[in-house]
Amino acid sequence: MSEALFAPDTLKVLRRFTSGEAARLIGVSDSTLRKMTLAGEGPQPETTSNGRRLYTLADINEIRKLLSHSPRGREAIDFVPHRRPGEHLQVLAVTNFKGGSGKTTTSAHLAQHLALQGYRVLAIDLDPQASLSALLGVLPEVDVVSNQTLYAAIRYDDNKRPLSDVIRRTYFDGLDLVPGNLELMEFEHTTPKALTTVARTGEMLFFARVAAALDDVADKYDVVVIDCPPQLGFLTLSGLCAATAMIVTVHPQMLDVSSMSQFLLMTRDLLGVVRDAGGELKYDFVRYLLTRFEPQDAPQTKVAALLRNLFDDFVLTNPMVKSAAVSDAGLTKQTLYEIGRENLTRATYDRAMESLNAVNTEIEGLIKKAWGRL
């Protein structure tokens, strides 16, 4: 599939953005970009035969840096929204007990949205199934060998490596990845043994290991997005303990809500044990995200209303609607941000993008609020 879809080198590359898209991402007018091009300022866009100007994401980020240093009546942070001194690393865990609730799709689109806005983002695939890695162009069966996942940074033996050794740059400028594969399951098997010897060896407890690994690279990133596995094992608990915020994805159907209630009960009990053992749990925000929502489906709207009555403002205002555009993009292992409007039915694409951007902008707003920017 990779050879057929991403010829000639079988590696994913990000499409180029039109001048209109680039201007919207940067927050300036198209005429401003045109003037910069004519003046020879910044990277020069590729010009097509019909005169359209196309920019790579790296070009867009370079222009952001240029604009942040020029006096245009706006703060530098409006163009380059990196963390400032005193703003802590935001670690978002996307989680739920139930498979198929949209965790990976949410994680991938959120990480890419933040990278498109100019943040430095690290995506961590904590799921042994490694769907996030595959979506971001790293095939877990082919491209990831032993000791190249997060497990390398949290393992208990002498083969432990710094997290910086396993981080990979992606084709998305500003977005790096810690890939996953089945090796992550080793952590579930080695942790019980480590727990029996921790008192003797003084080894760091399992729930602090992901956070400690992140400390080594914290200065390089603004936001970390963790795609948690659909289970409540040591891996997920470690991810939740490292997180500063939690997004719980839920498909608005009664079976999924029942499953989520079991997940929340178990999480409360297990995190209580972690807290008693000295783990520090402090979340800037916890939100429920309705995924694969069909507004015309009466039972789903009733379940959505039930969730909003139960959790009030803890449910994100914007749901992620179910759309054929997401499925169509997934056929080529791409996201909506990658595939481009011209490759899908435009009305379907626009509707899906409107919903997706609304969700991700709302989460971005919560991050800014946690930093004290709003």
Side-chain angles (χ1 to χ4, degrees):
M1 278 182 71
S2 292
E3 286 171 4
L5 296 168
F6 309 120
D9 54 9
T10 74
L11 295 174
K12 284 184 79 174
V13 291
L14 183 60
R15 67 181 176 91
R16 292 174 184 268
F17 297 88
T18 64
S19 56
E21 288 177 312
R24 277 196 300 277
L25 285 171
I26 297 167
V28 295
S29 65
D30 196 354
S31 62
T32 301
L33 287 186
R34 190 179 296 110
K35 286 174 190 170
M36 290 181 73
T37 302
L38 292 172
E41 293 180 28
Q44 296 301 297
E46 177 189 316
T47 308
T48 63
S49 55
N50 60 2
R52 293 176 81 195
R53 287 169 293 128
L54 299 176
Y55 295 83
T56 65
L57 183 53
D59 291 340
I60 290 169
N61 284 331
E62 193 62 37
I63 293 168
R64 281 185 170 122
K65 287 176 188 170
L66 275 174
L67 292 173
S68 70
H69 296 304
S70 63
R72 291 176 181 266
R74 290 168 65 181
E75 287 189 55
I77 204 162
D78 291 338
F79 295 109
V80 181
H82 294 174
R83 282 194 295 141
R84 295 176 294 189
E87 295 177 341
H88 60 274
L89 179 70
Q90 280 290 329
V91 184
L92 273 70
V94 182
T95 184
N96 199 341
F97 203 28
K98 190 108 169 91
S101 64
K103 291 185 293 295
T104 299
T105 305
T106 300
S107 301
H109 282 100
L110 176 60
Q112 290 183 351
H113 167 85
L114 292 168
L116 286 170
Q117 300 309 310
Y119 295 93
R120 299 166 300 170
V121 185
L122 176 65
I124 297 181
D125 197 345
L126 210 57
D127 189 346
Q129 296 172 69
S131 301
L132 180 65
S133 301
L135 205 51
L136 293 178
V138 178
L139 299 176
E141 314 87 3
V142 180
D143 301 327
V144 186
V145 297
S146 177
N147 223 28
Q148 289 188 348
T149 68
L150 182 70
Y151 179 62
I154 59 175
R155 63 192 302 159
Y156 298 94
D157 58 23
D158 294 336
N159 291 320
K160 187 178 177 185
R161 304 169 67 190
L163 185 59
S164 54
D165 285 3
V166 293
I167 291 174
R168 302 185 185 203
R169 293 191 67 178
T170 69
Y171 54 94
F172 231 90
D173 193 61
L175 172 58
D176 292 347
L177 171 70
V178 176
N181 68 6
L182 284 171
E183 180 186 61
L184 286 164
M185 284 304 296
E186 291 290 321
F187 191 66
E188 303 290 348
H189 303 145
T190 55
T191 295
K193 182 182 177 184
L195 285 172
T196 62
T197 61
V198 72
R200 277 200 316 274
T201 60
E203 188 77 62
M204 188 190 302
L205 283 164
F206 75 90
F207 55 77
R209 298 182 85 80
V210 174
L214 284 174
D215 285 344
D216 292 338
V217 297
D219 292 344
K220 298 178 183 175
Y221 299 101
D222 306 308
V223 183
V224 177
V225 178
I226 302 178
D227 181 26
C228 295
Q231 62 193 51
L232 215 58
F234 294 117
L235 269 175
T236 305
L237 282 173
S238 300
L240 294 181
C241 289
T244 60
M246 197 193 308
I247 303 290
V248 182
T249 54
V250 55
H251 182 40
Q253 290 191 341
M254 277 317 296
L255 279 175
D256 293 72
V257 172
S258 300
S259 172
M260 185 185 74
S261 69
Q262 296 299 308
F263 166 75
L264 293 174
L265 284 168
M266 283 181 67
T267 305
R268 181 197 65 184
D269 293 343
L270 289 169
L271 290 182
V273 172
V274 167
R275 194 177 272 117
D276 292 343
E280 187 180 344
L281 299 170
K282 188 178 177 185
Y283 295 127
D284 292 324
F285 59 89
V286 177
R287 292 293 184 274
Y288 300 92
L289 168 62
L290 301 177
T291 57
R292 292 170 33 229
F293 180 56
E294 298 175 73
Q296 301 84 13
D297 188 317
Q300 283 201 26
T301 54
K302 287 177 182 173
V303 173
L306 169 68
L307 287 168
R308 292 191 188 281
N309 282 330
L310 284 172
F311 298 118
D312 199 23
D313 291 340
F314 288 98
V315 180
L316 288 173
T317 305
N318 298 287
M320 182 58 211
V321 297
K322 185 176 182 180
S323 174
V326 178
S327 310
D328 287 349
L331 287 173
T332 52
K333 287 189 178 175
Q334 290 180 294
T335 65
L336 283 181
Y337 291 124
E338 296 173 60
I339 200 161
R341 190 167 181 252
E342 65 281 357
N343 296 308
L344 299 171
T345 308
R346 294 201 167 187
T348 307
Y349 177 84
D350 289 345
R351 192 163 55 248
M353 280 298 285
E354 183 182 359
S355 170
L356 181 62
N357 283 330
V359 168
N360 288 332
T361 302
E362 189 175 352
I363 295 172
E364 184 189 354
L366 292 167
I367 292 171
K368 287 180 177 178
K369 190 175 179 183
W371 280 334
R373 293 188 189 178
L374 294 180

